[in-house]
Amino acid sequence: MAPAMEMVVGLDKGHKVTKRPKRSKPSQRKGHRSKRVKFIRDVVREVSGFSPYERRTMELLKVNRDKRALKFCKKRLGTHKRAKKKREEMIQALQKRKKYRLRLCVDTTA
Protein backbone atom coordinates (compact mmCIF):
# COMPACT_ATOMS: atom_id res chain seq x y z
CA MET A 1 0.00 0.00 0.00
CA ALA A 2 1.42 3.35 -1.06
CA PRO A 3 0.80 6.41 1.15
CA ALA A 4 -0.75 8.41 -1.75
CA MET A 5 -3.51 5.83 -2.12
CA GLU A 6 -6.98 6.81 -0.97
CA MET A 7 -8.01 4.52 1.88
CA VAL A 8 -11.58 3.71 2.79
CA VAL A 9 -10.79 3.13 6.48
CA GLY A 10 -8.33 4.49 9.03
CA LEU A 11 -7.28 7.90 10.32
CA ASP A 12 -6.53 9.39 6.90
CA LYS A 13 -9.51 7.89 5.10
CA GLY A 14 -11.31 9.57 2.26
CA HIS A 15 -10.50 11.48 -0.90
CA LYS A 16 -7.31 13.57 -0.64
CA VAL A 17 -7.91 17.30 -1.14
CA THR A 18 -5.88 20.46 -0.59
CA LYS A 19 -6.82 22.40 2.54
CA ARG A 20 -8.29 25.85 1.95
CA PRO A 21 -7.73 28.63 4.48
CA LYS A 22 -10.69 29.27 6.76
CA ARG A 23 -12.41 32.64 6.53
CA SER A 24 -13.00 34.54 9.74
CA LYS A 25 -16.60 34.38 10.89
CA PRO A 26 -18.56 37.39 12.08
CA SER A 27 -18.99 35.60 15.41
CA GLN A 28 -15.22 35.81 15.94
CA ARG A 29 -15.46 39.62 15.94
CA LYS A 30 -18.34 39.73 18.44
CA GLY A 31 -17.56 41.86 21.45
CA HIS A 32 -14.69 43.71 19.74
CA ARG A 33 -15.11 47.43 20.37
CA SER A 34 -14.44 49.67 17.40
CA LYS A 35 -12.63 53.01 17.66
CA ARG A 36 -15.84 54.89 16.87
CA VAL A 37 -17.85 53.19 19.62
CA LYS A 38 -15.03 53.74 22.13
CA PHE A 39 -14.87 57.43 21.23
CA ILE A 40 -18.65 57.85 21.57
CA ARG A 41 -18.75 56.09 24.94
CA ASP A 42 -15.86 58.22 26.22
CA VAL A 43 -17.67 61.41 25.17
CA VAL A 44 -20.92 60.26 26.81
CA ARG A 45 -19.05 59.38 30.02
CA GLU A 46 -17.33 62.76 30.03
CA VAL A 47 -20.59 64.67 29.48
CA SER A 48 -22.95 62.70 31.72
CA GLY A 49 -20.53 61.59 34.44
CA PHE A 50 -21.19 58.64 36.73
CA SER A 51 -24.54 57.28 37.86
CA PRO A 52 -25.43 57.39 41.57
CA TYR A 53 -24.63 53.70 42.17
CA GLU A 54 -21.25 54.16 40.46
CA ARG A 55 -20.50 57.15 42.69
CA ARG A 56 -21.39 55.12 45.77
CA THR A 57 -19.16 52.29 44.55
CA MET A 58 -16.29 54.74 44.17
CA GLU A 59 -16.90 56.04 47.70
CA LEU A 60 -16.73 52.47 49.03
CA LEU A 61 -13.50 51.89 47.12
CA LYS A 62 -11.99 55.12 48.49
CA VAL A 63 -12.37 53.80 52.05
CA ASN A 64 -10.94 50.37 51.07
CA ARG A 65 -14.25 48.51 51.19
CA ASP A 66 -13.55 46.47 48.03
CA LYS A 67 -15.64 43.48 49.02
CA ARG A 68 -18.59 45.66 50.02
CA ALA A 69 -18.27 47.51 46.70
CA LEU A 70 -18.37 44.17 44.86
CA LYS A 71 -21.46 43.05 46.78
CA PHE A 72 -23.15 46.38 46.10
CA CYS A 73 -22.37 46.17 42.36
CA LYS A 74 -23.57 42.58 42.26
CA LYS A 75 -26.89 43.58 43.80
CA ARG A 76 -27.32 46.39 41.28
CA LEU A 77 -26.03 44.63 38.15
CA GLY A 78 -27.28 41.10 38.76
CA THR A 79 -24.23 38.91 38.12
CA HIS A 80 -20.86 38.41 39.78
CA LYS A 81 -18.99 38.76 36.49
CA ARG A 82 -20.60 42.12 35.66
CA ALA A 83 -19.96 43.32 39.20
CA LYS A 84 -16.26 42.45 39.02
CA LYS A 85 -15.95 44.24 35.69
CA LYS A 86 -17.74 47.33 37.03
CA ARG A 87 -15.58 47.38 40.17
CA GLU A 88 -12.42 47.26 38.05
CA GLU A 89 -13.81 50.06 35.87
CA MET A 90 -14.45 52.19 38.96
CA ILE A 91 -10.94 51.49 40.30
CA GLN A 92 -9.50 52.61 36.96
CA ALA A 93 -11.65 55.77 37.05
CA LEU A 94 -10.42 56.61 40.57
CA GLN A 95 -6.79 56.07 39.53
CA LYS A 96 -7.28 58.23 36.46
CA ARG A 97 -8.87 60.98 38.54
CA LYS A 98 -6.06 60.80 41.11
CA LYS A 99 -3.41 60.96 38.39
CA TYR A 100 -5.15 63.97 36.81
CA ARG A 101 -5.33 65.84 40.14
CA LEU A 102 -1.69 65.05 40.87
CA ARG A 103 -0.67 66.39 37.47
CA LEU A 104 -2.83 69.46 38.03
CA CYS A 105 -1.14 70.16 41.39
CA VAL A 106 2.34 69.79 39.86
CA ASP A 107 1.44 72.15 37.01
CA THR A 108 0.13 74.88 39.36
CA THR A 109 3.15 74.76 41.69
CA ALA A 110 5.70 74.87 38.87
Side-chain angles (χ1 to χ4, degrees), residues 26 29 59 68 71-72 81 97:
R29 291 190 311 269
E59 286 298 320
R68 173 57 58 189
K71 288 176 83 172
F72 179 71
K81 194 173 185 179
R97 187 181 287 179

Short mmCIF file of all heavy atoms in Angstrom, two decimals, residues 26 29 59 68 71-72 81 97:
data_model
loop_
_atom_site.label_atom_id
_atom_site.label_comp_id
_atom_site.label_asym_id
_atom_site.label_seq_id
_atom_site.Cartn_x
_atom_site.Cartn_y
_atom_site.Cartn_z
N PRO A 26 -18.13 36.20 11.34
CA PRO A 26 -18.56 37.39 12.08
C PRO A 26 -18.62 37.15 13.59
O PRO A 26 -18.41 38.05 14.37
CB PRO A 26 -19.95 37.68 11.52
CG PRO A 26 -19.97 37.03 10.19
CD PRO A 26 -19.08 35.83 10.30
N ARG A 29 -15.65 38.19 15.66
CA ARG A 29 -15.46 39.62 15.94
C ARG A 29 -16.40 40.12 17.03
O ARG A 29 -16.31 41.26 17.45
CB ARG A 29 -15.72 40.44 14.67
CG ARG A 29 -14.69 40.25 13.60
CD ARG A 29 -14.87 41.27 12.49
NE ARG A 29 -16.23 41.39 12.00
CZ ARG A 29 -16.75 40.70 10.99
NH1 ARG A 29 -16.01 39.81 10.36
NH2 ARG A 29 -17.98 40.89 10.59
N GLU A 59 -17.07 55.65 46.29
CA GLU A 59 -16.90 56.04 47.70
C GLU A 59 -16.48 54.84 48.55
O GLU A 59 -15.61 54.95 49.41
CB GLU A 59 -18.20 56.64 48.25
CG GLU A 59 -18.50 58.02 47.75
CD GLU A 59 -17.44 59.04 48.16
OE1 GLU A 59 -16.94 58.97 49.30
OE2 GLU A 59 -17.12 59.89 47.32
N ARG A 68 -17.27 45.05 49.92
CA ARG A 68 -18.59 45.66 50.02
C ARG A 68 -18.99 46.30 48.69
O ARG A 68 -20.15 46.23 48.27
CB ARG A 68 -18.58 46.70 51.15
CG ARG A 68 -19.81 47.54 51.29
CD ARG A 68 -21.09 46.78 51.48
NE ARG A 68 -21.09 45.93 52.65
CZ ARG A 68 -22.05 45.04 52.92
NH1 ARG A 68 -23.08 44.92 52.10
NH2 ARG A 68 -21.99 44.27 53.97
N LYS A 71 -20.12 43.52 46.42
CA LYS A 71 -21.46 43.05 46.78
C LYS A 71 -22.52 44.06 46.34
O LYS A 71 -23.59 43.68 45.85
CB LYS A 71 -21.55 42.82 48.29
CG LYS A 71 -20.79 41.59 48.75
CD LYS A 71 -20.81 41.44 50.24
CE LYS A 71 -22.08 40.77 50.68
NZ LYS A 71 -22.07 40.42 52.12
N PHE A 72 -22.22 45.33 46.51
CA PHE A 72 -23.15 46.38 46.10
C PHE A 72 -23.37 46.35 44.59
O PHE A 72 -24.51 46.42 44.11
CB PHE A 72 -22.60 47.74 46.55
CG PHE A 72 -23.47 48.90 46.16
CD1 PHE A 72 -24.68 49.10 46.79
CD2 PHE A 72 -23.07 49.77 45.17
CE1 PHE A 72 -25.48 50.18 46.43
CE2 PHE A 72 -23.86 50.84 44.80
CZ PHE A 72 -25.08 51.04 45.44
N LYS A 81 -19.94 38.39 37.55
CA LYS A 81 -18.99 38.76 36.49
C LYS A 81 -19.12 40.24 36.13
O LYS A 81 -18.13 40.95 36.01
CB LYS A 81 -19.26 37.88 35.26
CG LYS A 81 -18.18 37.90 34.23
CD LYS A 81 -18.48 36.87 33.15
CE LYS A 81 -17.37 36.78 32.15
NZ LYS A 81 -17.63 35.77 31.12
N ARG A 97 -8.55 59.72 37.90
CA ARG A 97 -8.87 60.98 38.54
C ARG A 97 -7.73 61.44 39.46
O ARG A 97 -7.37 62.61 39.47
CB ARG A 97 -10.16 60.82 39.35
CG ARG A 97 -10.67 62.12 39.94
CD ARG A 97 -11.92 61.90 40.74
NE ARG A 97 -13.07 61.62 39.89
CZ ARG A 97 -14.28 61.37 40.35
NH1 ARG A 97 -14.51 61.33 41.64
NH2 ARG A 97 -15.28 61.15 39.52
#
